[in-house]
Amino acid sequence: MTIIDDISSAVLRGKRKEVAPLVQQALDEGLDPEAILNDGLVSAMTEIGERFSRNEAFVPEMLVAARAMSAGTEVLKPHLAEAGAEPVGRAVIGTVKGDMHDIGKNLVRMMIEGKGFEVTDLGVDVAPEQFVTFIQENDDVDIVCCSALLTTTMPEIGATIRAIEEAGLRDRVKVMVGGAPVTQAFADEVGADAWTPDAGAAAAKAVELVRG
Ligand code: B1M
């Protein structure tokens, strides 16, 4: 068993208190933070999702695994962010209405912050009106980031973009979208400015969007 296997195993078993020291140990051994994230933490979440699909794991197991994963990302956070990045712009992020999944959204926030953005996180279950109100109250927002993890909540991305349009704010902001079921085709269909598959790509795209 490698340390990466140990991290995955601890996340799968929902052992939050084991995950943080294991991640620290992996960092101390010189492992790449992105490899720890993808091969240790995210891969375990993928596995728990597959077990859920096969009826071999249930919501409580997903929940404790999610908490264990978050304990690991907290340790990784300073190592994933780029130290001393120049301020680039302002972003607001949220998981759309009806959707409680926040791990991917938190990673996207962390990586975008790492690129020097000031990011306001509206949390989960964010209604279109909440995004609109935030843009109305903060006229320096450059990018609106919407995350959705459920096929049933994906349409809320479209509803959010429509609400921004109806409020007359669409020209003021770029809209970035993502989340496991979200595709480039869906992003095009709802009129988003950008879709990216993962948090690293989202951060790079955010910089591209503000720098033009
Ligand atoms: Co849920 N869940 N869940 N769940 N859950 C999924 C998403 C599911 C695929 C599991 C499965 O069936 N295999 C399935 C959705 C099926 C579908 O819609 N087709 C599912 C279901 C069905 C449900 C419930 C309905 C279960 C129930 O109650 N019967 C329920 C819904 C609750 C709700 O939201 N209303 C539910 C609940 C939960 C928990 C609360 C228990 C927990 C979430 C805890 C939390 O987030 N704090 C949970 C979990 C943990 C999962 C899985 C196992 C893991 C999700 C995750 O964190 N992945 C998930 C299975 C899976 O994804 N394999 C599953 C790791 C994370 C790093 O990846 O979020 O994809 P991800 O983010 C990536 C990219 O997608 C991207 O970058 C991230 C990192 O690189 N990305 C963006 C994300 N947002 C982005 C935004 C961007 C750009 C990129 O730009 C703005």
Side-chain angles (χ1 to χ4, degrees), residues 66 70 95 99-107 121 123-124 147 149:
S70 297
T95 303
D99 199 324
M100 304 299 168
H101 296 85
D102 69 356
I103 295 177
K105 183 260 300 166
N106 293 345
L107 282 175
D121 188 345
V124 296
S147 177
L149 259 289

Side-chain angles (χ1 to χ4, degrees), residues 37-38 42 45-50 52-53 58-63 65-67 69-70 93 98-105 107-108 112 144-153 176-181 194-200 202:
L37 175 68
N38 293 323
V42 175
M45 296 310 293
T46 306
E47 171 62 25
I48 199 88
E50 285 165 4
F52 178 78
S53 297
F58 302 93
V59 170
E61 281 93 337
M62 288 205 288
L63 199 54
R67 288 190 184 143
M69 154 120 195
S70 297
I93 190 166
D99 199 324
M100 304 299 168
H101 296 85
D102 69 356
I103 295 177
K105 183 260 300 166
L107 282 175
V108 172
I112 293 182
V144 177
C145 303
C146 300
S147 177
L149 259 289
L150 298 169
T151 44
T152 49
T153 59
M176 270 180 44
V177 302
W195 166 85
T196 49
D198 58 51

Side-chain angles (χ1 to χ4, degrees), residues 124-143:
V124 296
D125 190 21
V126 182
E129 312 81 69
Q130 288 172 266
F131 282 107
V132 167
T133 304
F134 187 84
I135 305 164
Q136 281 166 335
E137 290 174 354
N138 298 275
D139 60 9
D140 56 345
V141 174
D142 302 295
I143 305 183

